[in-house]
Amino acid sequence: MIQNPKRYTITAALPYTNGPIHIGHLAGVYVPSDIYSRYLRLQGRDVLFVCGSDEHGVAISMKAKKEGITPQEVIDKYDGIIRKSFSDFGISFDNYSRTSAKIHHDTASEFFRKLYDKGDFIEEVTEQLYDAKADQFLADRFVVGTCPKCGNEEAYGDQCEKCGSTLNATDLINPKSTITGETPILKSTKHWFLPLDRYEEFLKEWILVGHKNDWKPNVYGQVKSWIDGGLEPRAVTRDLDWGIDVPVEGAEGKKLYVWFDAPIGYISSTKEWALREGKDWEPYWKDQDTKLVHFIGKDNIVFHCIIFPAMLKAEGSYILPDNVPANEFLNLEGKKLSTSKNWAVWLHEYLEEFPNQQDVLRYALTSNAPETKDNDFTWKDFQARNNNELVAIYGNFINRVVVLTNKYYNGIVPQPNELSEVDEATLTELKAYPAVISSSVERYRFREALSELMNVARLGNKYLADEEPWKVIKDNPERVQTQMYVALQIAAALSSLCEPFLPFTAKKLSGILKIESPLNWNTIAQNSDLIPAGHQIGEAELLFTKIEDEEIQKQIDKLEATKTANTAENKKAEPQKEAIQFEDFAKMDIRTGTILEAEKMPKANKLLILKVDTGIDVRTIVSGIAESFKPEDIIGKKVTVLVNLAPRNLRGVESQGMILMTTNTEGKLVFVNPDADGVANGETIN
């Protein structure tokens, strides 16, 4: 670990521009990295926070094929959506670039060429999967097949999303091309490989020994598992038509593998920032007094802790990451987030549907962050955290302080009188919070840090509840001056302490209190006079508003509609039954009929007793549809009846036939009946 670094380089995983940003991305990467960057800036540190759109690789090509547009149109569309979402949500990047930029192409090409010239790559002809019908080699994500480790039949050529195993496309059992559906053949092709096995001892020493005590257990454990399993050379080029050309002779038609070029995007984003700001980029990547921190999700751990460091080590002039505080996954309403299945809460949609409530989502995602294990986002929990915590604790305290200050003193901070023991104890406790919150943030425990922030608001609420200035004002107005002064110091501290977590709230609260620049945390820790007597504050405004059940139900209904659409899209028809002869079908007498009466079978949840006019007669039919239909709703319903089914006794009632049913995409029962009017009862179906 670097002690007292001169500067910080903070990177957030480059989002793929094959779709918008969703809450899983936010919880895993962008909210924690933004909290950390904002916190460091408040401490007066030299901070560079970079990111950018990842615009190469198979995911972009797949999206382009699916939407019938070019890869360039895909990346331009989603880069625009992502940039605006991040900006509107308050993610405070110092630079947000894109890997399609010339500065990135040049940087990645130069990086590859330097390793190539040093002889760090292995050049090898290997057998790769080839789609003869499409006349192209198949990159990892253009192949699906059965995972050799868990049997999942929909594993991709680079990873099984069910068991998490990293694969090669040639490992798959029964592989199929996602382009044509054909079974691919093996064909020889030349590629360049980074020999990770050469860096095994270095990685063991650097991570397994050097970072045993400061890296998160989930990160350390995954890296150890990889290293213990033995590292092998990994391809850094691909046969693709979209990406950065491999800058050597004999590499025509080949591109840099996206996981070689993407992390270099942090470096090219830094260069872009430096050119714009007139600064030198190199100290942020090459000075040993710089602390480099990568914020990523757990699916990127191997690339940021093994492959990228091996690349940097091979190049020779770059520093290595001090920490890689990867988070686990965030699920949605008990199911894994899925971009392809639209099972997500999209940031740009949230910002439209919950205007001016960025901090509510930041709060909900941080307080439920998947820091050590997968966690679940639910709309009910989101509502509860807003209503029961932000509104009832934080907002309630600030509102009471500001309202009472305006009511008693026309918004002027009162001059305190002698402090009581309670006052002294409260202010002493307040002074401890900057160090407590800092300790949690420095150790990447953002949930813990946010909880401590809310304890500051709880401290204020408890102080007011115990002191009851609204009662004391009648008999001892001098005492109330001191009480309100103490409460206002807590409010002032909150305006700065909450900035990394709730930046929009911090700005609004500072405006209400008329504090022009954020208070220094050291000042909060050392000084009790944060907002002095005689200072004029503004009128009360609600920091947070209650979220009603109707708003939450709308979001739940939206997800249910997605679930229904996915079911319909993925539903497969039952296989055809064994063939029968026409004579077998002709034995069935199927007629149209009308339900005349319907009642529930006593002591049976599933059965209805129906009286049906079949055109031949009026007969009793017992049908297992009581859980899907109310008796009164189906009287007069046109139905299709198998009338020559042998009678059957059900709970003492003889059933003389069967109503024909099917199910819709939601799995609900549907009557099979004629779609034209004027069909008489008793007409045969043949």
Side-chain angles (χ1 to χ4, degrees), residues 154-175:
E154 296 180 355
Y156 287 110
D158 59 348
Q159 186 179 41
C160 174
E161 294 190 348
K162 186 174 182 181
C163 70
S165 298
T166 299
L167 305 169
N168 290 311
T170 49
D171 296 334
L172 294 175
I173 301 166
N174 299 323

Side-chain angles (χ1 to χ4, degrees), residues 607-672:
L607 302 179
L608 291 182
I609 303 172
L610 311 176
K611 292 286 188 192
V612 182
D613 181 353
T614 66
I616 308 167
D617 52 25
V618 175
R619 64 177 65 186
T620 298
I621 297 177
V622 179
S623 185
I625 60 174
E627 291 181 331
S628 300
F629 301 98
K630 295 177 182 177
E632 61 269 23
D633 291 343
I634 60 174
I635 293 172
K637 188 76 179 174
K638 206 78 172 172
V639 293
T640 302
V641 189
L642 179 62
V643 294
N644 67 335
L645 184 68
R648 186 179 176 193
N649 192 289
L650 295 169
R651 293 181 175 263
V653 178
E654 186 176 70
S655 180
Q656 301 169 304
M658 182 178 288
I659 307 291
L660 302 191
M661 310 288 292
T662 188
T663 57
N664 64 13
T665 56
E666 298 175 17
K668 294 180 180 178
L669 289 173
V670 177
F671 288 101
V672 176

Side-chain angles (χ1 to χ4, degrees), residues 161-392:
E161 294 190 348
K162 186 174 182 181
C163 70
S165 298
T166 299
L167 305 169
N168 290 311
T170 49
D171 296 334
L172 294 175
I173 301 166
N174 299 323
K176 297 286 182 186
S177 165
T178 63
I179 301 172
T180 63
E182 297 287 311
T183 299
I185 61 173
L186 287 171
K187 190 174 179 180
S188 296
T189 183
K190 180 172 68 176
H191 282 294
W192 287 264
F193 292 76
L194 181 67
L196 292 177
D197 47 320
R198 287 186 200 166
Y199 302 95
E200 200 166 299
E201 288 307 311
F202 148 69
L203 291 166
K204 282 181 181 177
E205 182 66 26
W206 172 56
I207 301 175
L208 301 189
V209 177
H211 288 291
K212 186 173 186 178
N213 298 319
D214 63 308
W215 281 20
K216 292 171 71 171
N218 59 318
V219 178
Y220 184 88
Q222 191 177 134
V223 173
K224 187 176 187 303
S225 176
W226 258 71
I227 294 174
D228 288 349
L231 300 179
E232 298 176 356
R234 189 173 184 92
V236 295
T237 60
R238 282 288 186 269
D239 290 291
L240 284 173
D241 57 3
W242 179 251
I244 299 174
D245 292 333
V246 177
V248 296
E249 288 184 20
E252 292 73 22
K254 299 182 190 299
K255 308 291 182 183
L256 296 183
Y257 180 36
V258 68
W259 270 114
F260 182 87
D261 105 73
I264 297 171
Y266 303 137
I267 301 168
S268 58
S269 186
T270 302
K271 288 183 177 181
E272 189 176 80
W273 164 82
L275 281 170
R276 186 183 70 240
E277 300 295 327
K279 300 202 176 206
D280 182 5
W281 72 272
E282 290 202 354
Y284 292 88
W285 280 96
K286 297 187 176 184
D287 191 317
Q288 293 301 321
D289 286 329
T290 297
K291 182 169 181 172
L292 173 62
V293 182
H294 295 312
F295 283 87
I296 58 169
K298 72 175 177 182
D299 52 337
N300 289 338
I301 288 173
V302 168
F303 296 104
H304 285 75
C305 298
I306 292 179
I307 297 173
F308 190 40
M311 290 163 54
L312 296 175
K313 184 72 173 173
E315 197 278 345
S317 67
Y318 287 87
I319 59 173
L320 298 171
D322 185 76
N323 213 313
V324 186
N327 274 355
E328 299 291 290
F329 289 150
L330 185 73
N331 297 321
L332 173 59
E333 299 285 354
K335 291 174 63 179
K336 186 176 179 180
L337 280 155
S338 172
T339 300
S340 61
K341 295 177 181 176
N342 195 30
W343 188 255
V345 176
W346 303 106
L347 177 56
H348 67 292
E349 292 182 359
Y350 172 87
L351 292 168
E352 290 174 5
E353 293 163 8
F354 292 89
N356 303 315
Q357 296 190 73
Q358 297 96 324
D359 283 353
V360 180
L361 185 57
R362 288 177 71 109
Y363 182 84
L365 294 177
T366 305
S367 56
N368 191 35
E371 291 180 348
T372 55
K373 63 181 180 63
D374 290 358
N375 271 355
D376 193 38
F377 176 94
T378 70
W379 279 110
K380 289 291 187 184
D381 180 69
F382 167 83
Q383 180 188 26
R385 290 188 187 278
N386 177 76
N387 294 354
N388 302 339
E389 296 172 26
L390 290 177
V391 174

Side-chain angles (χ1 to χ4, degrees), residues 525-545:
Q526 296 166 9
N527 190 352
S528 295
D529 194 35
L530 304 176
I531 185 167
H535 177 87
Q536 176 75 56
I537 70 168
E539 295 291 328
E541 291 180 56
L542 291 179
L543 289 181
F544 309 100
T545 55

